[in-house]
Amino acid sequence: MRRLAAVPLLPPLTSRDPHTTPADLLAGLVPPPQFAAASFDSYVPDPDHPSQAAAQEKLRELAAALTRAQRRGLFRRSAPPSSVYLDGGYGVGKTHLLASLAHAVGPERSAYGTFVEYTHLVGALGFAACVAELSTRALVAIDEFELDDPGDTVLMSRLLRELADAGVTLVATSNTLPEALGEGRFAAEDFLREIQALAARFTVMRIDGNDYRHRTGRPAHAALTDDDVSQAARAASEAGAAVTVDGWPELVAHLSRIHPSRYGRLVDDVDAVLLTGVDQLDDDMVGLRLVVLVDRLYDRNVPVRLGGTGVADLVSERMLTKGYRKKYYRALSRLGALCALPLPGQ
């Protein structure tokens, strides 16, 4: 076999200062590369959890209804198909189903993004322009719906109300029931009316099951040494991969200087991300940035290696018992899957 020429290590992520335009954000409202080929047929429900097959059939029917309405030119002249909220634990296939729905409806008539991406879109375009743009779609799909602060509650309640009034069908996924959004993060009772208004717009479907990435608890991948990581970086580079190596403290500091809407651009065109000096987190601001970064890496199916603290011990016990615990558990699950991916050349 012909040996590939070695590729020098890419400059570290900490040297990147990516920028995005509103046009970039709009163009990115499609399922991520990880789910580029997702379909209802490729989703395999767990027979031990019938709610998975029920959700699959519900969204398949919704896609068919949206397609029929489009053919007849009806979805703007009559009530759109009902909006759906998929509630369930991490790793049960909610994102796969949501991406399948967006693909079935088509990129011209659907918008797909995470909750965080939609809040960033409002900030980039302005509220009125965002409503005008999204109102041209038959479907707005919102992955990982969550409320981290009161401002998001009011913003998203108003945005979804105006989109629904414009005839847009809304489908969201979350690890939290609508009426419990914001619980443990802020005085949710002060925003109960907004939260109830959000909940009233959806038909809620529960999806049960195990995390298909890790069946029991947190990922238990053995911690690597920094030397292990350096050797892995050299081997991947020699195999022709575009690899970055960053020190953990430096990356944590760098993420604080970049808006999370730009984290995707930060890791574009990277084949593997390797980190040295990783230490346990006990800071929610840092933790929430990490959640977004892990999501963008997972979207792109980028292998990761950690030198120092392993995935299982990356987030402190305190953080895993407070209001953001579901976000952290999802991030650990996804990060564990990325750490298990083979590096290029392996």
Side-chain angles (χ1 to χ4, degrees):
M1 178 181 292
R2 184 172 63 87
R3 184 178 178 84
L4 293 174
V7 173
L9 291 176
L10 292 178
L13 299 181
T14 51
S15 70
R16 296 187 171 200
D17 186 21
H19 292 279
T20 56
T21 67
D24 293 331
L25 296 176
L26 287 170
L29 292 179
V30 295
Q34 169 82 321
F35 297 97
S39 70
F40 293 123
D41 290 338
S42 65
Y43 179 78
V44 181
D46 186 338
D48 292 333
H49 298 280
S51 59
Q52 294 185 14
Q56 178 188 37
E57 185 59 26
K58 176 67 175 179
L59 294 197
R60 195 192 292 271
E61 292 173 353
L62 181 57
L66 287 168
T67 300
R68 287 194 301 269
Q70 169 67 9
R71 288 172 181 166
R72 299 171 185 171
L74 295 177
F75 75 91
R76 286 292 182 254
R77 296 200 296 270
S78 60
S82 62
S83 296
V84 177
Y85 188 103
L86 298 180
D87 169 66
Y90 51 88
V92 297
K94 300 187 303 296
T95 298
H96 186 131
L97 288 173
L98 192 67
S100 300
L101 175 63
H103 286 311
V105 174
E108 300 83 10
R109 299 177 54 239
S110 67
Y112 176 104
T114 64
F115 177 86
V116 170
E117 287 171 328
Y118 283 111
T119 58
H120 295 163
L121 184 66
V122 174
L125 294 182
F127 186 85
C130 186
V131 170
E133 178 63 39
L134 295 179
S135 293
T136 65
R137 317 293 175 99
L139 168 73
V140 167
I142 310 166
D143 200 19
E144 301 155 18
F145 197 105
E146 194 49 276
L147 299 177
D148 292 336
D149 62 65
D152 284 348
T153 305
V154 177
L155 174 69
M156 291 305 291
S157 178
R158 183 183 169 200
L159 178 64
L160 299 189
R161 180 175 65 248
E162 297 207 14
L163 292 177
D165 290 346
V168 178
T169 292
L170 310 168
V171 179
T173 72
S174 183
N175 299 321
T176 307
L177 286 167
E179 61 268 21
L181 289 167
E183 196 172 78
R185 296 174 176 82
F186 57 86
E189 63 274 11
D190 294 340
F191 298 88
L192 188 58
R193 182 176 300 175
E194 296 287 349
I195 293 169
Q196 289 174 335
L198 281 172
R201 296 190 175 277
F202 294 99
T203 297
V204 178
M205 294 193 71
R206 173 76 187 178
I207 304 182
D208 300 302
N210 299 314
D211 176 7
Y212 76 91
R213 293 179 288 264
H214 305 284
R215 292 297 179 183
T216 56
R218 283 175 272 175
H221 297 290
L224 302 176
T225 66
D226 286 350
D227 284 344
D228 292 333
V229 170
S230 297
Q231 291 175 15
R234 286 195 295 272
S237 176
E238 289 173 358
V243 178
T244 62
V245 179
D246 285 86
W248 178 251
E250 292 79 14
L251 180 63
V252 166
H254 191 57
L255 292 178
S256 70
R257 296 189 287 268
I258 298 176
H259 193 277
S261 64
R262 292 152 54 194
Y263 287 6
R265 283 294 182 92
L266 184 70
V267 296
D268 275 346
D269 305 319
V270 174
D271 294 329
V273 168
L274 291 84
L275 302 172
T276 60
V278 177
D279 200 4
Q280 186 176 78
L281 296 176
D282 191 32
D283 183 321
D284 284 315
M285 291 301 295
V286 176
L288 291 173
R289 294 185 194 111
L290 178 66
V291 167
V292 178
L293 178 64
V294 169
D295 284 343
R296 301 293 79 80
L297 290 167
Y298 187 76
D299 287 346
R300 291 157 175 79
N301 212 32
V302 176
V304 174
R305 294 294 184 270
L306 305 181
T309 298
V311 177
D313 299 314
L314 184 59
V315 176
S316 73
E317 291 298 329
R318 180 197 66 80
M319 292 170 66
L320 292 174
T321 60
K322 300 299 181 181
Y324 299 112
R325 61 189 179 278
K326 290 184 178 180
K327 283 179 175 284
Y328 297 141
Y329 273 115
R330 186 190 78 238
L332 291 176
S333 171
R334 289 184 164 187
L335 185 58
L338 297 178
C339 287
L341 289 175
L343 292 176
Q346 288 187 338

